[in-house]
Amino acid sequence: MKKLFLVGALALFGAINAQTKDVLSKGHWLVETNTNFGVLSPSNTSIGFMSSDGTSLFKIGGEAGYFVANNLALKVGLGLTTMTGEDFYGDSETVSAFNYKVGVKYYIASQFPVQVDFSGISSEGSSTSAIGFQGGYAWFVAPNISIEPGLRYDVSADDGGDGIFSGNVGFAIHF
């Protein structure tokens, strides 16, 4: 009975792995978003809400990619961040920012996504940009759905200042 269970588990793993590799092949699409754990950075094409000391931050965004080769996708992302809180004089103030991202994502061994991108944030006449590096693990919970926990590092493209290190959990659908 144990041998039968082992053979069945290996067959199921092989079938899922084969289908996983298919959705990462040339000509397929992916749509994803991530949590970014409340970090406000130029790479904010994510979903989140946080509130602290009368200030609230809401962000919504996503990314899409097209596989130009097996395991290699070109990606674009858009997002909107809104922050509401009190200004210096105690008046309520809302500031909105537009976020964008362009990059490439490569799946090493069809399970370890690494990404390099150029991202930016623009708000009321000011803007900043960054170059980001991201890596993680793709856990395929279904043949075309993955959960991708990872680590990210953004460094300013404007002045080479201090970088921003963050963790995130991504959710991707592959077509």
Side-chain angles (χ1 to χ4, degrees), residues 79-114:
L80 178 66
T81 302
T82 303
M83 186 168 61
T84 304
E86 292 183 0
D87 64 10
F88 181 73
Y89 301 106
D91 298 327
S92 181
E93 180 179 42
T94 299
V95 177
S96 295
F98 173 72
N99 307 284
Y100 60 89
K101 185 187 294 185
V102 177
V104 296
K105 185 174 192 174
Y106 183 74
Y107 286 82
I108 299 169
S110 298
Q111 286 187 309
F112 302 97
V114 292

Side-chain angles (χ1 to χ4, degrees), residues 3-163:
K3 288 182 183 180
L4 181 62
F5 177 75
L6 180 61
V7 169
L10 288 174
L12 179 63
F13 176 76
I16 290 173
N17 196 27
Q19 290 173 342
T20 298
K21 289 182 181 181
D22 184 50
V23 297
L24 300 177
S25 62
K26 183 178 179 178
H28 285 84
W29 290 87
L30 74 98
V31 176
E32 67 182 325
T33 192
N34 67 67
T35 58
N36 209 308
F37 295 123
V39 176
L40 183 59
S41 73
S43 67
N44 255 339
T45 54
S46 58
I47 295 174
F49 176 79
M50 73 179 204
S51 182
S52 176
D53 297 328
T55 300
S56 61
L57 175 72
F58 174 76
K59 49 189 180 165
I60 187 165
E63 302 175 26
Y66 179 75
F67 285 89
V68 295
N70 291 346
N71 294 315
L72 179 66
L74 297 179
K75 292 180 55 184
V76 296
L78 295 174
L80 178 66
T81 302
T82 303
M83 186 168 61
T84 304
E86 292 183 0
D87 64 10
F88 181 73
Y89 301 106
D91 298 327
S92 181
E93 180 179 42
T94 299
V95 177
S96 295
F98 173 72
N99 307 284
Y100 60 89
K101 185 187 294 185
V102 177
V104 296
K105 185 174 192 174
Y106 183 74
Y107 286 82
I108 299 169
S110 298
Q111 286 187 309
F112 302 97
V114 292
Q115 180 171 312
V116 176
D117 54 57
F118 177 81
S119 58
I121 186 169
S122 177
S123 174
E124 298 179 10
S126 66
S127 65
T128 186
S129 58
I131 297 171
F133 305 93
Q134 183 171 313
Y137 179 77
W139 174 38
F140 280 85
V141 295
N144 66 330
I145 299 172
S146 63
I147 297 173
E148 301 183 2
L151 298 174
R152 180 170 182 84
Y153 184 74
D154 289 297
V155 65
S156 174
D158 301 327
D159 60 12
D162 294 336

